[in-house]
Amino acid sequence: MKTSPANIRELLGRAETKLVESGVPNARRNAEWMLCHTLGWSVLDLYMHATDAIDATHIETYWECVERRASREPLQYILGNTEFMSFPFEVQPGVFVPRPETEVLVEHAEARLRGIPLHRELSVLDLCCGSGIIGVSLARRVPNLRVTSVDISRDAVMLTRHNANINGVSTRVRVAKCDALTFMTPRAPCYTAILCNPPYIATGELAALPREVREHEPVAALDGGADGLDFYRRLIPTLAAKLQQGGFVMFEIGDTQGPAVGELLRSAGFGGVEVIQDLSGRDRVVTAREVPLNG
Ligand code: GLN
């Protein structure tokens, strides 16, 4: 910046202009949230102290955030945290950013788990756990639940452990660094539910994603192969052997993938296939239940 801004209002105005010029959606809000983060203030504080001067160190720290956001780094990576199911989660570059759509999966999984008789030990396997949101938030919502979270990325595993800690559920969330398919060996125990938000974007569609996603998020968490279905195709045949009697599976999907993933589940012997929509009415989750061989 050529000249120092006179006060908070002017600093926010300059940040907003820079973010608008860089095509950042919701620029004003982004400018405010990053300044709150820098100062440890609330948005209300910013407006109550709009004409206060601001010291050079804070300006410098804040402007680094603004420049990162102007280069279209996701806001959550800059702030270092987000909320999912109203619970706090840390996020960091290199690990997939939690999406609000995934809350649909958690809500439906919770409702299904609550329908299971209380005397049963409930266990969930969360494959491709990323920052741990699915398993950790379910452990918070369902007190008698034990969770195993698995991810191939070391950063994701460490972040999931940390998020289980800050949410007070680390004694019920076990985290393993492992490829999901390798984890499904015949000797692995059986679970009440297997949940997964795998990479499901078709390779050819990656280039059309927002810059935040395509330039900053790990491609391994997004790329689902030629039609986006690679992961479902490989994983689904291994699931039935790992489910307790009456157990269920639940996948997040892309909005056109419901019929294909449903068919993969039916071919693998699952019943009760259901496609569930997110809040914008798009297909987002597929679920199915284990069908006993003699039933
Ligand atoms: N929903 C994500 C996105 O829009 C993709 C999630 C995934 O591949 N698991 O970028």
Side-chain angles (χ1 to χ4, degrees):
M1 270 184 294
K2 286 192 209 87
T3 56
S4 238
N7 57 34
I8 285 183
R9 181 183 297 144
E10 198 183 321
L11 180 61
L12 271 176
R14 288 197 205 176
E16 184 182 1
T17 307
K18 184 165 174 78
L19 296 179
V20 168
E21 282 167 4
S22 315
V24 172
N26 215 0
R28 179 73 190 184
R29 283 280 177 205
N30 274 251
E32 289 171 358
W33 286 325
M34 291 188 291
L35 190 52
C36 289
H37 168 74
T38 307
L39 299 173
W41 288 7
S42 68
V43 176
L44 185 62
D45 291 331
L46 296 183
Y47 284 89
M48 306 251 297
H49 298 275
T51 54
D52 285 13
I54 175 166
D55 67 87
T57 321
H58 278 134
I59 294 179
E60 203 180 305
T61 313
Y62 177 59
W63 209 252
E64 277 166 22
C65 295
V66 173
E67 281 180 341
R68 283 173 70 183
R69 190 68 190 100
S71 78
R72 305 299 293 273
E73 189 169 338
L75 179 70
Q76 295 92 330
Y77 285 162
I78 298 164
L79 303 182
N81 56 61
T82 190
E83 276 195 359
F84 181 82
M85 298 294 292
S86 304
F87 299 133
F89 283 88
E90 289 201 4
V91 287
Q92 68 183 44
V95 183
F96 186 70
V97 175
R99 309 287 205 265
E101 305 90 272
T102 307
E103 294 186 345
V104 174
L105 186 153
V106 171
E107 281 162 5
H108 279 83
E110 181 187 346
R112 290 282 286 272
L113 288 166
R114 286 188 184 281
I116 293 171
L118 265 181
H119 61 269
R120 285 259 310 261
E121 162 102 342
L122 297 178
S123 59
V124 152
L125 176 62
D126 174 14
L127 295 169
C128 311
C129 65
S131 55
I133 50 167
I134 293 177
V136 170
S137 53
L138 273 173
R140 277 201 71 163
R141 308 263 320 175
V142 185
N144 55 330
L145 180 68
R146 293 199 169 272
V147 173
T148 302
S149 299
V150 175
D151 203 288
I152 195 169
S153 145
R154 187 169 168 270
D155 287 345
V157 164
M158 290 187 2
L159 194 56
T160 296
R161 281 201 187 110
H162 181 69
N163 282 326
N165 262 325
I166 61 178
N167 279 284
V169 292
S170 57
T171 55
R172 291 185 291 118
V173 179
R174 192 171 79 94
V175 194
K177 185 199 167 301
C178 190
D179 171 63
L181 285 158
T182 314
F183 191 81
M184 304 304 278
T185 57
R187 287 178 54 224
C190 283
Y191 300 89
T192 318
I194 301 175
L195 314 174
C196 179
N197 175 13
Y200 59 67
I201 308 284
T203 310
E205 285 166 20
L206 290 170
L209 293 172
R211 273 183 66 194
E212 281 80 355
V213 183
R214 86 183 126 86
E215 290 179 15
H216 295 276
E217 291 199 74
V219 70
L222 297 160
D223 188 352
D227 59 0
L229 297 170
D230 275 9
F231 204 88
Y232 307 103
R233 229 176 252 124
R234 287 158 58 215
L235 191 69
I236 285 174
T238 71
L239 296 176
K242 294 288 152 295
L243 270 187
Q244 291 166 1
Q245 207 183 345
F248 66 94
V249 297
M250 218 174 255
F251 282 105
E252 183 168 319
I253 53 159
D255 57 6
T256 59
Q257 295 169 333
V261 176
E263 201 38 53
L264 287 168
L265 286 161
R266 270 183 223 102
S267 315
F270 284 92
V273 173
E274 214 183 307
V275 179
I276 299 163
Q277 285 76 40
D278 61 22
L279 293 177
S280 56
R282 295 197 178 91
D283 288 354
R284 187 59 61 201
V285 170
V286 177
T287 183
R289 62 181 156 69
E290 182 261 359
V291 177
L293 278 181
N294 53 2

